Amino acid sequence: MPKSPITGQVGTYLFEAKVIGHHSAKYYLDNSCGYIWVENPTWLEEAYSDAIALTDTGIVARNLKNTQSITQVMRANRLTHECGVDLGGGYGLLVRGLRDSGLDFHWSDPYARNLLARGFEAVDKNYAVATAFEVLEHLPNPLDFLTQARARYGFDTLFFSATCFDPHEIPHRDWWYWAFETGQHISFFSEKCLDYMAVQLGMRKVHLRGDIYAFTILEKLRWPGRLQRRILDRKHRRVSLTQKDYEDMKQRVIDLWSGT
């Protein structure tokens, strides 16, 4: 029987399903921590083809929402002066949005082309904060990914998204989050699994709201109330990095022209 990528424990077979219409996918449960994974997802290259990507009509709306959420929580917890890195940054939409909100974020993604945050690629140094929205469910070994990312970037707090299931009541085959039609979701988490992952990373899990979580070493990390969000929005109204980024990139172009 296959072993869990998270704990190495032998998994319990759950079911088999067709993904992308013609690939057989076997789903297993790690009972020790409440984690479901897909065995040997050989179809991932096809799953991320342009044809499948056409189904992602909510990419802009989600990134706008995530930009607002991370901006608010970082302001509320006095993290706005910290540098951040977006893991699995995709086209760079979230990084551009966070920089436009005044947060010094940088892009990282070995599998995507940075279209919207060019010039702000992450380098091998410490970033106090990281984000990973709609990333972990796409990975065959999410704990290994985060372990390597933390070793590379040294972040103390990671904000991420997760749609958790109850390990005592496995979702039915009609659960929308299986996403059989795209074959992109291959890791599924319970709250217990997130707690386990946090410990392995030397951190603790914080459930901020909805599907937004954090792994952190901070003693306090909280979601701001409505009144505090309004106050913080007014306070930080003119802190965007958009103009500064423009000036920096313009100077970089001038330097290239002059050969300096």
Side-chain angles (χ1 to χ4, degrees), residues 42-59:
T42 58
W43 56 85
L44 292 183
E45 183 175 352
E46 179 181 353
Y48 291 100
S49 67
D50 289 341
I52 297 299
L54 289 174
T55 65
D56 191 3
T57 58
I59 185 171

Side-chain angles (χ1 to χ4, degrees), residues 14-15 27 29 34-36 163-178 180 188-190:
L14 292 178
F15 60 83
Y27 293 72
L29 171 66
Y35 167 69
I36 296 174
T163 300
C164 292
F165 67 91
D166 182 350
H168 301 294
E169 189 175 349
I170 303 301
H172 295 295
R173 293 277 295 273
D174 60 356
W175 187 31
W176 69 273
Y177 200 65
W178 295 124
F180 298 135
F188 306 87
F189 309 91
S190 68

Side-chain angles (χ1 to χ4, degrees), residues 90-224:
Y91 297 142
L93 183 54
L94 180 59
V95 170
R96 188 62 261 165
L98 292 172
R99 297 192 66 84
D100 290 345
S101 295
L103 301 176
D104 188 13
F105 263 76
H106 297 76
W107 174 94
S108 174
D109 193 328
Y111 303 107
R113 183 182 175 190
N114 181 9
L115 300 178
L116 301 174
R118 290 186 299 166
F120 300 99
E121 291 80 9
V123 296
D124 289 343
K125 72 168 192 175
N126 284 355
Y127 294 84
V129 180
T131 51
F133 279 86
E134 299 183 37
V135 172
L136 302 185
E137 64 269 28
H138 300 271
L139 302 173
N141 194 328
L143 180 55
D144 183 63
F145 170 82
L146 291 180
T147 300
Q148 292 186 38
R150 193 168 187 223
R152 181 178 182 183
Y153 297 122
F155 50 84
D156 293 329
T157 299
L158 168 73
F159 297 108
F160 65 97
S161 60
T163 300
C164 292
F165 67 91
D166 182 350
H168 301 294
E169 189 175 349
I170 303 301
H172 295 295
R173 293 277 295 273
D174 60 356
W175 187 31
W176 69 273
Y177 200 65
W178 295 124
F180 298 135
E181 69 280 0
T182 66
Q184 294 183 356
H185 290 186
I186 56 176
S187 283
F188 306 87
F189 309 91
S190 68
E191 295 264 357
K192 182 179 179 181
C193 179
L194 297 182
D195 286 328
Y196 176 87
M197 291 171 64
V199 171
Q200 301 307 305
L201 291 166
M203 309 171 88
R204 67 185 182 92
K205 181 204 76 183
V206 178
H207 186 188
L208 292 167
R209 63 173 300 183
D211 63 354
I212 301 178
Y213 293 82
F215 291 150
T216 187
I217 65 170
L218 301 179
E219 292 185 3
K220 294 182 179 180
L221 190 68
R222 60 188 177 83
W223 183 261

Side-chain angles (χ1 to χ4, degrees), residues 23-85:
H23 293 282
S24 293
K26 293 182 180 180
Y27 293 72
Y28 290 85
L29 171 66
D30 180 343
N31 286 289
S32 69
C33 71
Y35 167 69
I36 296 174
W37 79 96
V38 177
E39 180 192 16
N40 192 25
T42 58
W43 56 85
L44 292 183
E45 183 175 352
E46 179 181 353
Y48 291 100
S49 67
D50 289 341
I52 297 299
L54 289 174
T55 65
D56 191 3
T57 58
I59 185 171
V60 173
R62 293 195 310 275
N63 275 276
L64 291 175
K65 180 180 178 181
N66 292 336
T67 295
Q68 182 182 49
S69 296
I70 295 306
T71 299
Q72 290 174 341
V73 76
M74 287 188 64
R75 287 174 177 174
N77 291 278
R78 299 182 179 179
L79 294 171
T80 55
H81 62 287
E82 303 286 8
C83 290
V85 56

